[in-house]
Amino acid sequence: MRIHRLEMQAFGPFADRQVIDFDELGAHGLFLLNGPTGAGKTSVLDAICFALYGTVPGARQQGRRLRSDHAAQDTAPEVVCEFSSGVRRFEVVRSPQWERPAKRAGGKSTVTEQAKTLLSEFVDGAWVQKSSRNDEASAEITELLGMNREQFTRVVMLPQGDFAAFLRADAASREQLLQQLFGTSRFEDIERRLKAELVEATDRFDKAQEQSEHVLRRARDEIRRYRGELAEGSGADDDGVEAEGGETELEQFQAELDSRSAAARKELAELMTARESAEKHLQEFEHRRARGIALQQLIRDEAEHARSEAEIEPQRAALATHAAASLLAGSVRAAEAAARRAENRRTEAAGALQALAEHVLAPGYGVSAAAGTTLPDGVEARVGADLAAVRAALEDEERNVALLARAGAEQDAAEAHRAQAVDADASLDSLRAEETELAAEAAALGRLAEGEPRAETALAAAEELVATISGYAAANERAAATATAAADARQEYQDLRQQWQDLLQARLDQAAAELAQELADGAPCPVCGGLEHPRPAALPDGEAPVTREAEQAAKARAGKAEAAYEEARRLAGTAAEETAALRARGGAGDAAAAQEQLDAARAELEKARGAVRSLAEADRRLTAIAAELATAEAARSEALIAAAQADSRAAAAREQAAELSARIREARQGFPSISERVQSLTLFAELAAAAREAAGAAAAAEDESGRVSAELDAALAGTAFASAAEVEAALLDAAIADAYALAVSNWEEQGRRLLLRRESQAAAGPDDAAGEPLAVPDEEDVAEAAEAAAAARKEQEEAALLVRLLEGSAGRLAEYSTELEASLKRTAPLRARRDLLQSVADTARGGGENQYKMTLSTYVLAARLEQVAAAATERLAAMTGGRYALVHSDSKSGNRKAGLGLHVTDEWTGQHRDTSTLSGGESFMASLALALGLADVVQQEAGGVNIETLFVDEGFGSLDEQSLEQVMDALEGLRDGGRVVGLVSHVAEMKQRIPAQLQILKGRNGSSVRYSAGEALIH
């Protein structure tokens, strides 16, 4: 992946469009990106990342704040990046979301412009658009480069600060950084999944185990219930039976239940036989007594039925006459109804003809009420023909009304268009006057706006002078203070040095006395070796001994004072140099005069900028006035044309209406309008049709009445009834007929039931051996038989209950045994799965048999760290002349987890050192080597993507000359294969070593870029 060109507009500190040609910069393979703090070096890298991925690295990801505050309010922020991946070349154009001034509100409010993206590919000599969606373009670029945004910023833009912190970090902090560099979320997901599956497996095993124990508890409850309720006096107690013996216990008790159930079933069969015999004896007694009682009641009921026959016979005769009359009742009612309908139809036909004769048009068609129910011939045909002719004329009347209305509307429209033309004339006069006045004002503003560059130059010079004078005053105070401090430090150093020298001289003078204090009789003298010491030296009277410790302490104080004096002298020299430099730039000038000059320059610049803004507003208004003039002129012409056209259409409509009026008057025939004549004819036609239909219905009703009367006379012939009146007299009321029928039916039904009872008594009565009916048992005999049957039945029920209890217990225990066996079979594999998951999850979490106490994600990160350390060692060895190597360690420290240790091996001493012991320059080289090693590893992980453009961040200032030379040699090696390397640095020596430079210049109106190739500068 190589970056060819970058363009920025209204982005970060860059207000105007800046173009960076990386192909030109990378011609030397190595270029320097420099500039003052805050100029925008980081913004160049942010623009590249934003163009490719739509966001910027780190904490600067708030895309809405990417727009430059230096740019004009209506300038859209935009980044253009041209890059290649392999043989394919692409261009991506992106704009972040921003707020632009609203055009209709005069800039007083804003409108949100959404983020935009355009991705194009250079194909066959032309740019072809591939995507205009933000997310789609980012996804396609990620696929092209083989890296997401985080990997890109770690591989292409090497962040030195992260890796310097990485060297000094402990294992926990180092793990967090590695998790950011290498995505290990999927391995953490595996750990969480293992834990979740373990919890699930444990839960399933516990539930299965609980189910087995529940089945066993239910079985034991059944055994206790049986032994407590049925096995009287057994005294058995199974509370001490363990779960392991549950199946054996069930089998033993099942055999016991089987034996007891067989005996109970045998006893139940014997009791059933005894119960059946007792119940049969009871039934026989009950049957004989019930038959005797029923015979006595039958005799009484037969006598009562015979006495009621005299009451029923008259009702039976009335019902017979009513039945014969009912057969003729339909014909009588039909004849009466037909006569009533004929009379009604004659009345309706006369009324319809009367309504028709009363209509205003009736005389004209020869209609009169004296005709009875008959219409004149051909009336309806003549009315229909006249109605059709009038309806045809109705269309002319409606058209005439529409034409008159259209003529009035067109006349109103013409007047409205003429009024619009007058308004347009007035607007044109007003706009022309405003245009003349505004053009003169714009000319004056243009002359004022031309002075803006001069005012900006004067303001910059005035601001620099004020800052220099202010800085000189502060520097002068610092110089005086540091000079005084240096003098005080010098005096303190001289005093302490004199004190040390005095103590040293005194100690030398007291050397003999000090040696004499250590002499002993018979011990040799350390100076002469003599065994006798006749005159040992002694300290002068009143003089205290000076110890070596006191003399060395005084020497140390003098050394510290000397170092403090040297530092104070260096600071005083630096302050004096700064003061002299500011004085040479005018720092000793008058501050008040400089401030007045600055205020005047600001006022002049504000005046010029106000003229620029006013001029822009005037230009926009002039442009708008021109458009409004054109619009008003067009509106005036259109209004006059429209008025003329409307007058023409109104005249044409009035001419057509005059032609139709004559035909309409002829068709009215005295009516106010044709529509009213149509309504009158329509009503007359409807009344004629109604009269015709009523006459036809009256004739049909007369025919029907004669036919029904003839049918009634035929039906009465040969019956007991001479007329319709006799038939109606013989008919009974419905309620009375129903009561008679019910009484007769009940009497006859009672007779049939008595006959059946008599037959049943004769057939069912048992006889004794002599053929005589058996005696009827009394109540005491029946009661004794019932008590015997009840006792037998109770004994059988008790025996049956015992059998059901035994069989139920046996069935439930069989079910419990089956359930327990099945539950144990289900529990075994669940236990094995739980134990396996427990072992695997403990190992993945760093517990169990995991000796290094590493989690799975830490193990993966340790492998990545080992790869990075190996790749970084190749770079670090080149930078340090083969002295240092970075080594990954997976050893444990106390109880802490292992896997992310990192130390440095010193080949000169053969010792391992902690990375925190490296010096500043060594730490920079090690962190740079780590960054480059990480880039190699991530590049391989991304599928071997070829990174042809690389940026290395700040940090070169901590290197000495030899180390800088070695680092530069290593960076030179990165150019192999056509790679372009950009270095970000403030170090002056780097500016001298690298001729190709991209300089970022900072100004009040925003930053700008320029190229430097040796002595030549390219803006």
Side-chain angles (χ1 to χ4, degrees):
M1 179 267 184
R2 178 186 289 271
I3 301 174
H4 300 285
R5 177 174 56 88
L6 178 68
E7 296 183 18
M8 301 169 291
Q9 173 183 283
F11 184 86
F14 303 104
D16 300 327
R17 182 171 291 273
Q18 305 293 320
V19 180
I20 302 175
D21 189 345
F22 283 102
D23 288 339
E24 182 177 356
L25 269 176
H28 299 281
L30 192 66
F31 69 90
L32 183 67
L33 177 62
N34 64 14
T37 301
K41 300 186 296 299
T42 303
S43 295
V44 174
L45 306 183
D46 287 349
I48 295 174
C49 188
F50 175 75
L52 296 177
Y53 295 98
T55 58
V56 296
R60 303 184 299 279
Q61 294 184 24
Q62 298 300 324
R64 298 180 181 178
R65 299 297 305 155
L66 295 179
R67 187 181 182 276
S68 175
D69 294 330
H70 298 285
Q73 292 185 352
D74 56 352
T75 301
E78 182 180 83
V79 177
V80 181
C81 182
E82 185 178 342
F83 66 95
S84 61
S85 178
V87 297
R88 302 174 67 184
R89 196 177 186 101
F90 298 89
E91 180 186 74
V92 59
V93 182
R94 284 191 193 267
S95 293
Q97 179 177 310
W98 65 291
E99 301 291 330
R100 67 166 177 81
K103 297 179 180 179
R104 297 184 178 180
K108 296 181 180 179
S109 62
T110 60
V111 176
T112 301
E113 289 286 347
Q114 299 300 325
K116 299 178 182 178
T117 300
L118 178 62
L119 177 64
S120 304
E121 182 177 4
F122 194 71
V123 179
D124 296 332
W127 290 104
V128 179
Q129 178 178 332
K130 293 184 67 64
S131 176
S132 59
R133 288 180 51 184
N134 299 327
D135 54 348
E136 187 179 82
S138 299
E140 186 160 350
I141 291 174
T142 299
E143 183 178 358
L144 282 169
L145 302 185
M147 294 179 289
N148 56 29
R149 181 182 61 82
E150 288 73 16
Q151 291 174 319
F152 180 83
T153 56
R154 300 296 179 184
V155 173
V156 178
M157 304 173 182
L158 305 181
Q160 296 302 299
D162 288 352
F163 292 96
F166 184 80
L167 284 172
R168 298 187 296 271
D170 56 12
S173 301
R174 192 169 288 156
E175 181 177 10
Q176 293 178 0
L177 183 57
L178 286 172
Q179 286 175 342
Q180 295 175 3
L181 300 178
F182 298 100
T184 59
S185 59
R186 60 186 184 277
F187 301 103
E188 295 171 357
D189 291 341
I190 292 175
E191 295 177 18
R192 288 191 291 270
R193 179 63 182 273
L194 286 172
K195 182 178 179 180
E197 289 189 3
L198 173 60
V199 171
E200 180 185 0
T202 302
D203 184 60
R204 292 178 63 187
F205 169 73
D206 292 343
K207 289 181 180 178
Q209 183 74 4
E210 174 63 24
Q211 185 178 4
S212 300
E213 294 174 356
H214 178 66
V215 172
L216 187 56
R217 283 195 299 270
R218 288 164 57 195
R220 288 174 174 168
D221 290 343
E222 184 65 28
I223 293 174
R224 280 194 291 271
R225 186 182 67 80
Y226 167 75
R227 287 177 174 169
E229 296 179 3
L230 304 178
E232 298 178 359
S234 64
D237 187 3
D238 62 344
D239 289 342
V241 178
E242 298 295 333
E244 291 77 6
E247 293 179 277
T248 303
E249 179 185 3
L250 292 180
E251 292 176 358
Q252 293 174 352
F253 189 70
Q254 186 73 42
E256 180 182 346
L257 280 178
D258 292 342
S259 174
R260 185 70 179 83
S261 297
R265 283 193 293 271
K266 181 178 179 182
E267 182 180 359
L268 176 62
E270 295 173 353
L271 290 174
M272 286 180 65
T273 302
R275 180 192 65 94
E276 290 174 356
S277 176
E279 288 181 348
K280 183 176 181 182
H281 183 66
L282 173 62
Q283 290 175 358
E284 182 179 354
F285 270 36
E286 290 177 343
H287 177 69
R288 286 164 57 190
R289 177 169 176 77
R291 181 175 176 278
I293 294 172
L295 180 60
Q296 296 172 4
Q297 183 63 39
L298 176 60
I299 294 171
R300 290 193 294 271
D301 291 344
E302 287 176 340
E304 180 65 24
H305 184 263
R307 286 194 298 272
S308 63
E309 182 176 5
E311 298 176 2
I312 292 301
E313 189 59 32
Q315 296 179 8
R316 181 184 294 167
L319 282 175
T321 304
H322 172 73
S326 296
L327 296 176
L328 298 172
S331 298
V332 172
R333 286 194 291 273
E336 293 175 351
R340 286 194 299 273
R341 280 196 299 274
E343 182 62 25
N344 292 337
R345 294 295 182 271
R346 284 192 297 271
T347 302
E348 290 174 358
L353 184 60
Q354 180 64 34
L356 179 63
E358 291 174 356
H359 193 275
V360 66
L361 297 178
Y365 291 98
V367 176
S368 173
T373 60
T374 305
L375 282 175
D377 294 336
V379 170
E380 289 185 275
R382 284 185 290 144
V383 172
D386 292 344
L387 183 59
V390 175
R391 281 176 176 169
L394 181 61
E395 296 179 359
D396 291 340
E397 185 179 48
E398 294 174 350
R399 185 181 175 195
N400 185 58
V401 173
L403 286 172
L404 292 175
R406 186 193 306 171
E410 293 292 347
Q411 188 64 42
D412 294 341
E415 294 299 329
H417 288 310
R418 278 190 284 271
Q420 290 175 1
V422 173
D423 293 341
D425 283 334
S427 179
L428 284 171
D429 293 340
S430 175
L431 289 172
R432 290 190 185 105
E434 183 182 358
E435 182 180 32
T436 302
E437 181 181 354
L438 196 57
E441 182 182 348
L445 290 173
R447 290 189 293 272
L448 289 175
E450 291 175 355
E452 183 183 13
R454 294 190 300 274
E456 290 178 344
T457 303
L459 177 61
E463 288 176 340
E464 183 177 2
L465 179 59
V466 170
T468 301
I469 293 174
S470 176
Y472 172 73
N476 203 19
E477 291 178 1
R478 287 195 299 274
T482 53
T484 300
D488 294 343
R490 182 176 179 277
Q491 183 62 45
E492 183 179 2
Y493 163 60
Q494 290 177 346
D495 293 342
L496 291 174
R497 187 172 182 275
Q498 186 61 46
Q499 291 177 12
W500 168 60
Q501 290 177 349
D502 292 344
L503 288 175
L504 179 60
Q505 186 61 44
R507 188 166 180 273
L508 292 175
D509 293 342
Q510 295 175 1
E514 183 178 351
L515 289 174
Q517 291 178 359
E518 298 177 358
L519 294 176
D521 293 339
C525 176
V527 178
C528 64
L531 299 177
E532 297 181 359
H533 318 293
R535 293 187 300 277
L539 291 174
D541 294 339
E543 185 175 338
V546 178
T547 63
R548 177 177 177 81
E549 288 78 10
E551 179 267 327
Q552 289 296 323
K555 181 180 180 181
R557 287 194 296 273
K560 292 181 180 179
E562 181 181 12
Y565 165 61
E566 290 296 334
E567 177 64 18
R569 186 166 63 83
R570 185 187 65 78
L571 293 176
T574 302
E577 291 176 1
E578 181 182 2
T579 303
L582 291 172
R583 185 188 301 111
R585 289 162 49 191
D590 186 0
Q595 185 62 42
E596 291 178 0
Q597 182 180 351
L598 175 60
D599 294 340
R602 285 176 176 165
E604 186 65 25
L605 178 59
E606 183 58 32
K607 182 178 179 181
R609 287 179 174 171
V612 170
R613 292 191 294 269
S614 299
L615 179 60
E617 182 63 28
D619 289 340
R620 285 194 292 271
R621 181 54 188 159
L622 284 172
T623 302
I625 288 174
E628 291 175 9
L629 282 171
T631 302
E633 185 65 36
R636 176 179 175 277
S637 298
E638 290 175 359
L640 292 175
I641 294 172
Q645 292 174 345
D647 288 337
S648 177
R649 289 193 295 271
R654 284 193 292 269
E655 291 178 1
Q656 294 177 10
E659 294 177 359
L660 291 175
S661 297
R663 293 203 300 267
I664 292 171
R665 283 192 298 272
E666 181 180 354
R668 286 177 185 169
Q669 290 191 0
F671 282 89
S673 66
I674 293 179
S675 59
E676 290 185 14
R677 188 184 176 204
V678 168
Q679 292 175 1
S680 180
L681 283 171
T682 301
L683 177 60
F684 189 77
E686 292 173 353
L687 292 174
R692 175 177 48 77
E693 291 177 358
E702 288 289 349
D703 295 341
E704 181 183 7
S705 177
R707 178 180 58 80
V708 172
S709 296
E711 291 176 354
L712 175 61
D713 293 339
L716 289 174
T719 66
F721 303 103
S723 65
E726 293 181 4
V727 172
E728 292 178 351
L731 290 173
L732 293 174
D733 184 72
I736 296 174
D738 292 341
Y740 285 0
L742 179 61
V744 172
S745 175
N746 289 340
W747 186 83
E748 292 176 348
E749 179 63 26
Q750 184 178 10
R752 287 192 293 272
R753 285 198 300 270
L754 290 173
L755 182 61
L756 292 174
R757 287 167 61 186
R758 173 60 65 181
E759 294 175 354
S760 176
Q761 284 286 340
D767 298 328
D768 57 13
E772 295 294 330
L774 294 176
V776 178
D778 57 16
E779 293 183 357
E780 293 181 0
D781 295 335
V782 175
E784 290 177 0
E787 290 177 359
R793 187 162 45 251
K794 182 177 181 182
E795 291 180 0
Q796 180 200 337
E797 290 175 353
E798 292 176 351
L801 176 60
L802 176 61
V803 170
R804 287 196 299 273
L805 288 174
L806 292 174
E807 291 178 347
S809 295
R812 283 190 290 274
L813 286 175
E815 293 174 358
Y816 293 153
S817 179
T818 303
E819 290 180 16
L820 182 60
E821 182 180 359
S823 180
L824 291 175
K825 288 182 180 179
R826 290 193 300 270
T827 304
L830 294 176
R831 183 196 302 274
R833 176 173 172 76
R834 182 204 61 179
D835 295 343
L836 175 61
L837 285 172
Q838 182 74 57
S839 176
V840 175
D842 288 345
T843 302
R845 291 198 301 265
E849 299 179 0
N850 190 334
Q851 298 179 356
Y852 287 100
K853 305 302 180 184
M854 272 194 282
T855 64
L856 177 60
S857 57
T858 304
Y859 175 79
V860 175
L861 291 178
R864 290 288 189 268
L865 181 58
E866 186 174 6
Q867 294 175 338
V868 171
T873 296
E874 297 181 8
R875 309 287 188 182
L876 185 58
M879 297 179 190
T880 60
R883 178 178 179 181
Y884 291 118
L886 288 172
V887 180
H888 162 252
S889 173
D890 57 6
S891 60
K892 294 188 293 184
S893 177
N895 293 327
R896 292 181 295 177
K897 295 182 179 181
L900 300 179
L902 191 67
H903 59 258
V904 63
T905 300
D906 191 342
E907 296 297 334
W908 290 4
T909 62
Q911 297 297 317
H912 295 314
R913 294 168 53 188
D914 191 88
T915 53
S916 61
T917 63
L918 294 173
S919 65
E922 292 170 343
S923 294
F924 169 71
M925 289 189 288
S927 63
L928 177 59
L930 268 176
L932 295 173
L934 171 69
D936 293 340
V937 172
V938 175
Q939 181 175 339
Q940 294 172 3
E941 190 177 72
V945 178
N946 187 17
I947 305 301
E948 300 179 74
T949 303
L950 189 68
F951 294 92
V952 181
D953 205 345
E954 186 70 71
F956 298 93
S958 60
L959 302 178
D960 56 33
E961 183 177 356
Q962 181 181 359
S963 298
L964 180 59
E965 186 70 31
Q966 292 171 334
V967 170
M968 290 300 298
D969 290 341
L971 293 175
E972 288 283 348
L974 296 177
R975 299 189 301 172
D976 296 342
R979 178 181 288 176
V980 177
V981 181
L983 306 181
V984 182
S985 177
H986 293 282
V987 178
E989 186 175 350
M990 300 289 288
K991 299 179 183 180
Q992 298 174 2
R993 295 176 62 97
I994 303 175
Q997 298 180 17
L998 176 63
Q999 298 179 359
I1000 311 299
L1001 306 178
K1002 180 169 63 173
R1004 294 183 60 83
N1005 296 324
S1007 299
S1008 59
V1009 301
R1010 69 176 180 180
Y1011 306 138
S1012 173
E1015 298 297 330
L1017 291 179
I1018 306 172
H1019 290 275

